[in-house]
Each structure stands twice: as C-alpha cells, then as structure tokens.
Amino acid sequence: IIEAIDLHKTYSNNNVKVHALRGINLKINEGDFVSIMGSSGSGKSTLMNIIGCLDIQSSGEFLLDGMNIQNLNEDKKALIRSKKIGFVFQSFNLLSRTTAIENVELPLLYSNSDGKLRKELSENALSLVGLSDRKDHQPTQLSGGQQQRVAIARAMVNDPSIILADEPTGNLDSKTSLEIMGIFKGLNSQGKTIVMITHERDIAEFGSEIIEMKDGRII
Amino acid sequence: IIEAIDLHKTYSNNNVKVHALRGINLKINEGDFVSIMGSSGSGKSTLMNIIGCLDIQSSGEFLLDGMNIQNLNEDKKALIRSKKIGFVFQSFNLLSRTTAIENVELPLLYSNSDGKLRKELSENALSLVGLSDRKDHQPTQLSGGQQQRVAIARAMVNDPSIILADEPTGNLDSKTSLEIMGIFKGLNSQGKTIVMITHERDIAEFGSEIIEMKDGRII
Ligand SMILES: Nc1ncnc2c1ncn2[C@@H]1O[C@H](COP(=O)(O)OP(=O)(O)OP(=O)(O)O)[C@@H](O)[C@H]1O
Ligand SMILES: Nc1ncnc2c1ncn2[C@@H]1O[C@H](COP(=O)(O)OP(=O)(O)OP(=O)(O)O)[C@@H](O)[C@H]1O
Ligand SMILES: [Mg+2]
Ligand SMILES: [Mg+2]
C-alpha cells in the first residue's frame, strides 16, 4: 500500500543543503503496523511527510496504493489525504482559536455535509481518547497531553485506511500511552495500516516490526 | 528555595471551572533535582508555570527564595525570571522567524549588553546540545527533537540557578535523552536546582526524588 524506492530529500536554505533522506527503500503492506525509530534528526518526520502526501521527494519513487503521488496536483492530493490518511503531527498542528471538537471535526468537512453526523463522529473520537469533558476547550486551555490526544482523535475521525502517527505518546503518561496503543491495535485489527514514529522502545513494540533510521537511511 | 503552601489554581472559561491544583504543598531546597510525574491533565505544567513566575495561583502561598511572588509587578517578575530561572516549555515556545542561535540568545538580551559575549555564550549552549551545525536554521527548518534541544539550550544560556524543564526529552531518542540528562546532572553538581516534569520513569530516576501528581494533588 506504501512503497518508497530510493527516496532522497534535500532541503536547501541560503546555499546550505541538508540531505535529510539518502536513499530510502520501503514496502508497507495493507494492514501492517510498522514502528519507526531513530535518533533526533535522522529523517523520520521527513519520510512521514512524504508518505502522507504533505511533501514531495527530491528524487526517487513514492507510490500510495500503486499511485504515483508526485504527479498529482494539490487538490487531488488533498482529496486522497482526507479520504485515506489520518495524520498525527509531532507538533499537533491544532487550530488555535478553535475548540477541541471543532478541531477533531476538520477532516470531515471535506467529505461529509451532514452536520449532525459530523458532530456525532467527533464526539465519539474525543470520547475514545478520554476527552469528552474537554470538547469545548481551545488548545491553550488544554494540557500538552490533552492537545496530543485531540490530534490523535482528529486523525481517526474520518475512518482512514492509513494512520501516520509522529510521536503520538511523546507527552503522555504510561497509562494514557497504553490506552492509545490499545486504540491503535484495535484499528489495526480492523485492517487499518499504521505507521508510527516513536522514540520509546516499549511503545515501538506494539508494532509488528520496527524500522531503524540513521542519517537519512534505514539501517 | 521553592516553597508552595496549599496552592490552588482554578481556570474559569465560559462558566466552566477546572480546578487544576487542589492544595499543593511542596518544599524544594537549593541544589535539589526533583522529578515530577503524573497522568496527563493532573496539573504538572500548571504547577510549573506558577513556580516559574509565569502564572499566579488562585489561592495559597508561593515563595521563591523566600520572596512572595504574587505581590510583585510584571517587570519585577520578568527580571527575576531572566536572572534566576531557565524554563524549558512543553511546547518549546520558540520564536518562528528567528534562527536557533537568536532564540537561544533571547534570555541574555535582558541582562547582557555585550553582543560578542552573548554570541559566544549562545554558541556554547547550542554546542552542548549538539546543534552547532543548525544555529542558523529557523524552527520550521529543524526536526522536533532539534527544536526541543534549542529550547533546552535557551533555558541554560543565562546560567540560571533554577532550571524548570517540562517534558525535556518528549521528542528525543534514548541516546540524545541520556546526553541531556548528563547535562542536567552536570548543572546539578554545580549547585543548580532542577525541577523536571517527565512521563518516562527511567528519565525521572535521574532526579534525587520523584513527586507523583494526580488530579491536582501530590500523592
Ligand atoms: N487555560 C485553561 N483553561 C481551562 N482549563 C485549563 C487551562 N489550562 C489547563 N487547563 C486544564 O487544567 C488541567 C491541568 O493542566 P496541566 O497542563 O497542568 O496538566 P499536565 O499535568 O501538565 O498534563 P500533561 O501531562 O498532559 O502535559 C487539565 O485538565 C487542563 O485541561
Ligand atoms: N525545512 C528544512 N530546512 C532545512 N533542514 C531541515 C528542514 N526540515 C528538516 N530539516 C533537517 O532535516 C533533518 C531531518 O529532519 P526530521 O524532522 O525528518 O528528523 P526526525 O528524525 O523527525 O527528528 P526528531 O526525532 O528530532 O523529530 C534534520 O537534521 C533537520 O535539521
Ligand atoms: Mg520528527
Ligand atoms: Mg503538561
């Protein structure tokens, strides 16, 4: 379902080049639960952004469901993302003057015009992550771990077939982390594909395989 | 050096009250290295913000170096913070159109008018966290763990006597986390007081004691 062939990504700022991905080869099948580990700056989020159709590689092939993504225009990509992919960002990316439930509802606005159904799906997602009593709070009125959980709920609300989670438990205590892993295992057993970046090995071990990255490569 | 007596903090939004701290009693001596753990939403960051003179309690006493902070005006508090406290925020709070080294330099602008010395201290702090080669990058050009390390460098650059770190390794791989703990142990052995919130028990154990919070109380 996800295939990367010799992916490279180079950032260029002011004549300084950062070669963030140096030839990534990866095959992830539908229904896999893959954990990605590696040191800070090794290229994990960069890889995830390409897989999530949020960024384009500098060279190499990337195929999502057999489709070559880089040739599609922005609208097509946005449609694919809203239908197929749920993304939990490392820095959450919540909208600030917007309540928790409105943030969770966002992915549904693309494809779902039934306001009542959207509200119900959003409330279910928030309740799944234990935040029913915080749905009207804005991000600055939430703890770090609560913001992280709103980001997780938002990634699940449109029932995507692929969940990409970048450090989903970085701000969560052990008990809450295990609850989130329980949710991910549940989704995986329903056939969803999960790709998760984490720096905690006991969290990584919820996946069926662990991929290690170092200096832009898989080792 | 830090004393809290029956601290309460209640947030009020739209008639909904959140009783975030419910009677905190705490004594931290100079040179202590205290770890704070507890579930998401238990009040850890709220307590840290009061200790760091960034927020005021709703009731109860808070003393920093024997001084009652809540009676001081904003300028006095800002001066105390810039001289005595280094704060690593859970969400980093880096300035966005500003390079790593400029972000690290910020606390020095208050008290240090020697541009050459500021630059040297900032470069040392960045090198300590392994980011010399990223000093001219802006936050969006840094990985999550690199942003976190810039926040850590900024908290140390003015040589504060108290370091307050809210989840300082939440986005760091194990090796980098241990390097940061090595830095904190080093500062502690120089006599600095360290208060650290973390959800990872092996990180918490670098402190000399672990305080557990639950539902706004210390248990
Ligand atoms: N401005 C605010 N308005 C209303 N409620 C708030 C506000 N800020 C925080 N809260 C609530 O206060 C409680 C404590 O928040 P705090 O940020 O101290 O938790 P925490 O222990 O740091 O959690 P985490 O481990 O998730 O970072 C949470 O339940 C949160 O929803
Ligand atoms: N826009 C950018 N411009 C220049 N360099 C960048 C940019 N974005 C990322 N980088 C660099 O690319 C490298 C890989 O970044 P990436 O965010 O993928 O790392 P990561 O493995 O996710 O790290 P972490 O574990 O710290 O989150 C880093 O060294 C970073 O400094
Ligand atoms: Mg990252
Ligand atoms: Mg917090």
Side-chain angles (χ1 to χ4, degrees):
Chain A
I1 195 171
I2 290 167
E3 190 167 0
I5 303 168
D6 197 33
L7 278 190
H8 288 257
K9 174 74 183 179
T10 300
Y11 296 107
S12 306
N13 318 310
N14 316 326
N15 300 324
V16 174
K17 286 193 193 304
V18 175
H19 199 168
L21 296 181
R22 305 176 183 221
I24 297 286
N25 292 295
L26 185 63
K27 253 191 186 154
I28 297 176
N29 297 313
E30 193 166 3
D32 281 357
F33 185 160
V34 175
S35 297
I36 300 178
M37 300 190 79
S39 43
S40 176
S42 56
K44 307 179 295 295
S45 298
T46 301
L47 175 60
M48 199 77 126
N49 289 340
I50 293 171
I51 293 175
C53 308
L54 293 163
D55 197 6
I56 304 181
Q57 67 275 20
S58 307
S59 71
E61 294 289 306
F62 167 60
L63 301 161
L64 184 75
D65 266 352
M67 258 189 300
N68 203 320
I69 297 299
Q70 71 189 103
N71 302 325
L72 304 177
N73 63 33
E74 273 310 315
D75 289 339
K76 272 230 159 46
K77 277 195 245 179
L79 190 62
I80 287 174
R81 284 199 302 268
S82 71
K83 282 197 178 306
K84 294 191 177 194
I85 298 173
F87 207 118
V88 187
F89 293 92
Q90 189 167 8
S91 53
F92 318 152
N93 293 10
L94 300 179
L95 295 187
S96 43
R97 294 248 169 270
T98 308
T99 65
I101 191 156
E102 289 165 345
N103 262 290
V104 172
E105 209 181 335
L106 280 173
L108 297 172
L109 296 176
Y110 262 120
S111 46
N112 202 318
S113 50
D114 181 343
K116 191 156 168 301
L117 178 62
R118 283 202 313 263
K119 194 159 181 298
E120 188 179 336
L121 291 172
S122 307
E123 286 178 343
N124 289 347
L126 271 179
S127 133
L128 203 54
V129 298
L131 288 178
S132 301
D133 61 353
R134 289 285 182 273
K135 63 181 165 81
D136 297 321
H137 284 230
Q138 293 184 356
T140 50
Q141 300 165 340
L142 294 171
S143 77
Q146 290 167 346
Q147 292 173 28
Q148 187 153 39
R149 284 182 275 160
V150 172
I152 292 169
R154 182 181 61 185
M156 305 190 299
V157 75
N158 59 340
D159 198 37
S161 48
I162 303 170
I163 295 206
L164 304 178
D166 197 341
E167 293 287 355
T169 65
N171 284 283
L172 301 177
D173 58 282
S174 322
K175 176 162 174 290
T176 315
S177 299
L178 293 179
E179 287 167 16
I180 297 300
M181 286 307 108
I183 296 170
F184 282 15
K185 291 296 277 181
L187 293 170
N188 186 234
S189 64
Q190 292 171 22
K192 313 245 180 283
T193 307
I194 305 205
V195 185
M196 176 174 77
I197 295 171
T198 180
H199 69 269
E200 295 182 65
R201 192 152 299 268
D202 19 2
I203 296 296
E205 289 176 356
F206 280 87
S208 47
E209 67 169 307
I210 298 179
I211 290 174
E212 300 268 357
M213 284 185 67
K214 185 173 158 67
D215 297 329
R217 294 185 183 88
I218 292 176
I219 57 178
Chain B
I1 196 173
I2 290 166
E3 189 168 359
I5 303 168
D6 196 35
L7 278 190
H8 288 258
K9 175 73 183 180
T10 299
Y11 295 107
S12 305
N13 317 311
N14 315 325
N15 300 324
V16 174
K17 287 195 193 304
V18 176
H19 199 167
L21 296 180
R22 304 176 184 222
I24 297 285
N25 293 295
L26 186 62
K27 255 195 186 147
I28 297 177
N29 297 313
E30 192 165 2
D32 281 356
F33 186 160
V34 175
S35 297
I36 300 177
M37 300 191 80
S39 44
S40 176
S42 55
K44 307 179 297 294
S45 297
T46 300
L47 175 59
M48 200 77 125
N49 289 339
I50 292 172
I51 293 174
C53 307
L54 293 163
D55 198 6
I56 303 181
Q57 68 274 23
S58 306
S59 72
E61 294 289 305
F62 167 62
L63 301 162
L64 184 76
D65 266 352
M67 259 188 299
N68 202 320
I69 297 298
Q70 71 189 101
N71 303 325
L72 305 177
N73 64 33
E74 271 311 312
D75 289 340
K76 271 228 159 46
K77 276 195 248 179
L79 190 62
I80 288 175
R81 284 198 303 268
S82 71
K83 281 199 178 304
K84 294 192 180 194
I85 299 173
F87 205 119
V88 186
F89 294 90
Q90 188 168 9
S91 52
F92 319 152
N93 292 10
L94 301 178
L95 295 188
S96 44
R97 294 248 169 273
T98 308
T99 64
I101 191 157
E102 289 164 346
N103 262 291
V104 172
E105 209 180 334
L106 280 173
L108 296 172
L109 295 177
Y110 260 121
S111 46
N112 202 317
S113 50
D114 182 344
K116 192 159 168 297
L117 177 62
R118 283 202 312 261
K119 193 158 180 299
E120 188 178 334
L121 292 172
S122 306
E123 285 179 342
N124 288 348
L126 272 180
S127 131
L128 203 52
V129 296
L131 288 178
S132 301
D133 61 353
R134 289 284 182 275
K135 64 181 164 80
D136 298 321
H137 284 231
Q138 295 182 357
T140 50
Q141 300 166 338
L142 294 171
S143 77
Q146 290 167 346
Q147 292 172 29
Q148 187 152 39
R149 283 182 277 160
V150 172
I152 293 169
R154 183 181 61 186
M156 304 188 301
V157 75
N158 59 339
D159 198 35
S161 49
I162 303 169
I163 296 206
L164 304 178
D166 195 345
E167 293 288 356
T169 65
N171 284 283
L172 301 177
D173 56 283
S174 322
K175 177 162 173 290
T176 314
S177 300
L178 293 178
E179 287 166 17
I180 297 300
M181 285 307 109
I183 296 170
F184 281 15
K185 291 295 276 182
L187 292 170
N188 186 233
S189 62
Q190 293 172 23
K192 313 243 181 282
T193 307
I194 306 204
V195 185
M196 176 174 78
I197 295 171
T198 179
H199 69 269
E200 294 181 66
R201 194 154 294 271
D202 17 0
I203 295 296
E205 288 176 355
F206 280 87
S208 45
E209 65 170 308
I210 299 179
I211 291 174
E212 300 267 358
M213 284 186 66
K214 185 174 160 67
D215 297 330
R217 293 184 185 88
I218 292 175
I219 57 178

